Amino acid sequence: MSILTWCKWFIRLCSPNSFSDDICGDLEEEHTTISQSIKGKSNADLWMIQQTLKICIHFILSKNNLLSLLVSVAAISISFTMIVSVSWLSDLEDASVLSDAFWQQWLNGSTYQIFLEPVLWQSAPQAWSQPVDWNMWFYQPSVIYALISFYTLYKITAKLHLSITEYSLVSMLTLLIPYLIGNALFFFMDIKMTEAGPIVAFMWISTLYLILPISYQFINRLRMSERCFT
Amino acid sequence: MANKRSYLGEFEHCVLLSILQLKESAYGVTIRAQLKKAIDRDVSLGAIYSTIERLENKGLIQSKKSEALPERGGKPKRLVKVTSLGQKELIETKKRMDTMWKNVTCDDVY
């Protein structure tokens, strides 16, 4: 394959379908002009590579692509952290590996502190080697909340024609509601350690069920919206 | 209440003026060459086509395809021209710029 063909292939890969043909045609025209001039074919090929890099960088680093990348990385990282934490906590036999101060914060609703505990990340690989208890990942209240909220979000979006900004705000609220409910329970009620498990499970597993589908929908909407944030 | 009206960006302004200057022969290659020649600005075709798409969505320009050409690998040119809305927007932008520059000289900038 010639350099021209490779460059056109890269441009088609990186640029929107609506004008990738126009760009390829323009580049080929300029490439032909330079090849036929005194500069020659090798200079034309070099010029073509430079232009292809410029064009691909322009589209890869576009606002929508960067935002999609950021949302994907955030959603995958949060899901991974939650899966590791839930697995590790479910296999935790000796609660004393975590300090009393940590458990006090836990009962105050600051459950996210577990993500910052070095002991979690040090011993997480061992937890992964244990057989997986799939029932643990099926928590009924979270399933009900996730299904109802996802359906409601879908209906609201279709009926009200929400913009990307409005959709992201509603999605964030949907993801945060279980966490806010859990925090409110910890704050207003005297929750004992033995009662904390189901509340934390609702806070985390609901978010875990919803974060990937909501992020996927957000990225899809972002890609469909050509004039996002303009 | 937020002002929802969209204004021309600096690059959109330059692209619209280039299209006006090029008349019937405005498309990616010539717009790029015009920007380089007129204001020594070397931009990628990606930036030009993103702007063309945005301006077309705003109704400020319209495009049509030429016939397929062998020197373009059998692809047509996407010829663009400024619409009456685009002309109106350019005139309003110029008026706004002139007003802002009124009583400001280059010496005042430094």
Side-chain angles (χ1 to χ4, degrees):
Chain A
M1 277 211 295
S2 68
I3 287 176
L4 186 66
T5 317
W6 272 110
C7 290
K8 286 200 290 187
W9 182 80
F10 265 118
I11 288 167
R12 284 211 174 82
L13 194 72
C14 300
S15 60
N17 291 336
S18 53
F19 48 80
S20 60
D21 265 359
D22 300 320
I23 293 178
C24 287
D26 284 358
L27 281 180
E28 194 158 345
E29 183 186 325
E30 285 201 74
H31 181 264
T32 311
T33 312
I34 298 170
S35 293
Q36 288 167 353
S37 74
I38 197 160
K39 289 178 181 171
K41 192 175 179 306
S42 51
N43 270 324
D45 284 345
L46 192 65
W47 175 87
M48 187 76 186
I49 293 168
Q50 282 174 344
Q51 293 302 314
T52 304
L53 285 175
K54 272 189 186 179
I55 291 165
C56 290
I57 288 169
H58 172 84
F59 288 114
I60 290 168
L61 296 184
S62 71
K63 209 185 286 178
N64 283 9
N65 281 347
L66 272 185
L67 199 56
S68 300
L69 185 71
L70 201 69
V71 169
S72 308
V73 169
I76 292 168
S77 308
I78 292 169
S79 304
F80 175 76
T81 308
M82 284 185 161
I83 290 169
V84 169
S85 306
V86 172
S87 307
W88 185 75
L89 277 173
S90 68
D91 288 332
L92 186 66
E93 286 168 358
D94 181 13
S96 64
V97 293
L98 292 159
S99 64
D100 288 343
F102 167 80
W103 289 117
Q104 197 50 52
Q105 284 178 323
W106 177 270
L107 290 177
N108 288 335
S110 305
T111 54
Y112 64 87
Q113 290 286 346
I114 188 79
F115 306 140
L116 310 173
E117 284 294 315
V119 68
L120 164 74
W121 300 105
Q122 282 159 9
S123 51
Q126 289 170 356
W128 283 87
S129 61
Q130 306 290 325
V132 181
D133 176 12
W134 293 107
N135 288 331
M136 179 180 78
W137 297 105
F138 183 80
Y139 187 58
Q140 216 172 349
S142 294
V143 173
I144 294 168
Y145 174 77
L147 287 174
I148 291 174
S149 56
F150 196 70
Y151 177 76
T152 313
L153 185 64
Y154 176 78
K155 282 285 174 192
I156 287 176
T157 310
K159 197 169 183 180
L160 300 180
H161 302 290
L162 299 181
S163 68
I164 292 285
T165 316
E166 289 162 343
Y167 180 82
S168 56
L169 287 174
V170 176
S171 307
M172 289 283 277
L173 190 66
T174 310
L175 286 171
L176 283 175
I177 282 175
Y179 200 82
L180 295 176
I181 291 173
N183 260 317
L185 287 172
F186 278 118
F187 189 77
F188 292 112
M189 294 170 72
D190 186 21
I191 309 284
K192 294 184 181 67
M193 184 66 86
T194 49
E195 299 163 343
I199 299 172
V200 176
F202 180 69
M203 289 164 79
W204 287 6
I205 295 181
S206 306
T207 308
L208 190 60
Y209 287 155
L210 284 168
I211 194 162
L212 288 179
I214 284 182
S215 306
Y216 177 75
Q217 260 208 344
F218 176 77
I219 290 166
N220 255 351
R221 286 178 60 93
L222 204 58
R223 286 182 182 280
M224 280 189 295
S225 148
E226 288 172 357
R227 297 178 64 194
C228 172
F229 300 128
T230 61
Chain B
M1 198 175 189
N3 188 355
K4 292 238 172 187
R5 197 186 148 180
S6 70
Y7 293 94
L8 278 184
E10 189 256 351
F11 189 59
E12 290 176 336
H13 194 170
C14 290
V15 170
L16 273 180
L17 288 172
S18 299
I19 297 169
L20 269 186
Q21 287 165 16
L22 290 162
K23 297 188 173 75
E24 298 298 311
S25 61
Y27 68 105
V29 174
T30 52
I31 295 169
R32 209 167 81 85
Q34 178 69 18
L35 286 169
K36 177 74 184 158
K37 190 177 128 194
I39 53 171
D40 196 25
R41 192 158 168 182
D42 195 7
V43 289
S44 81
L45 281 168
I48 289 176
Y49 276 101
S50 299
T51 308
I52 284 178
E53 184 110 319
R54 201 163 54 243
L55 290 172
E56 200 164 13
N57 286 336
K58 287 180 181 176
L60 304 181
I61 59 170
Q62 61 185 42
S63 66
K64 64 172 185 185
K65 299 272 185 182
S66 72
E67 74 278 16
L69 298 162
E71 68 269 24
R72 294 172 55 85
K75 296 193 176 55
K77 291 176 184 173
R78 182 170 174 177
L79 295 163
V80 289
K81 70 172 188 180
V82 180
T83 60
S84 51
L85 183 65
Q87 290 167 347
K88 198 176 147 205
E89 188 62 45
L90 267 174
I91 289 166
E92 282 181 16
T93 305
K94 184 178 185 313
K95 279 181 188 167
R96 278 195 294 270
M97 284 293 116
D98 288 346
T99 308
M100 293 305 291
W101 274 102
K102 214 174 193 177
N103 303 326
V104 179
T105 63
C106 290
D107 291 338
D108 294 330
V109 178
Y110 292 110

